[in-house]
Amino acid sequence: MERRLWMLLIGLTILFSGGPAWAQTGLKQRLNSWPDWSLPAPLPRPSNRDDLIYPDWFAGLWQVESIDLDAPDDPPLLHQARFQADRRGRLIGDRSFNATAIGRALLGEQLLGVEEDPGSANRQIARMKGDLYLETTVTGRRQESPSANTFLADELVLQIMHAPGPPRLSRIETLSRYNRCGEDICAEQWQGRYASPGESLRDQAIAQHHYQLRFTPLPGSAPSI
């Protein structure tokens, strides 16, 4: 159950990161320093209205396959993801749809639902059976497009697991690199988990994970070429 909640947090994080663009060297340097990550990360705090603006080639409905490269014998995680235009014509992730799809794939009926904060694009709550709920708040973001066929985003979130007893806090950083692979999208993700604020004198990552993903367009939803 603990590992599934960790994966759920990943899902709630990786599809919804956003924020202002920054110099290409920033994300490249951050990736080159993996796995020796520490805080503070060079990620500005997003405003409540900040959201990730995806390249046009993300448009549509996708089947996503995610493989944990640290556990290659585990079966891949399969779920759907959808990206569509907002009221301003910008391409964004359908956060509620995507988070629910990931949550159902991981937890099945244990997941009761995912709620978005109507006042912020940076906060979600996943409610589960057993009086559990996972609160995820984005505290830092950066993104860049080094080429027409490559997109990168880095995000830091604060996780609060509310359960009977004291809440559990942790911070998780996810750096994602997406590339066009014909009609598909190929991606890699690098992730570091940090202790809760004030728990350690050194904010060094206490756990690391590495993932490989592939987005395949579903019939009738191929991205624009």
Side-chain angles (χ1 to χ4, degrees), residues 56 153 191:
D56 290 343
Q191 191 167 83

Side-chain angles (χ1 to χ4, degrees), residues 67-140:
I67 298 173
D68 185 345
L69 297 178
D70 299 312
D73 294 332
D74 287 359
L77 177 68
L78 301 175
H79 61 88
Q80 292 185 1
R82 185 164 63 197
F83 302 86
Q84 57 192 17
D86 67 4
R87 295 179 180 178
R88 299 170 61 182
R90 306 173 304 173
L91 189 65
I92 62 173
D94 186 336
R95 293 181 291 119
S96 179
F97 177 91
N98 295 345
T100 301
I102 294 171
R104 294 293 185 204
L106 286 167
L107 302 176
E109 295 304 315
Q110 179 69 19
L111 178 70
L112 298 178
V114 177
E115 301 174 8
E116 300 178 19
D117 186 339
S120 175
N122 305 312
R123 182 173 176 268
Q124 288 186 326
I125 294 178
R127 298 191 182 276
M128 290 155 278
K129 293 181 179 179
D131 200 25
L132 301 173
Y133 67 96
L134 180 68
E135 181 180 357
T136 304
T137 303
V138 179
T139 60

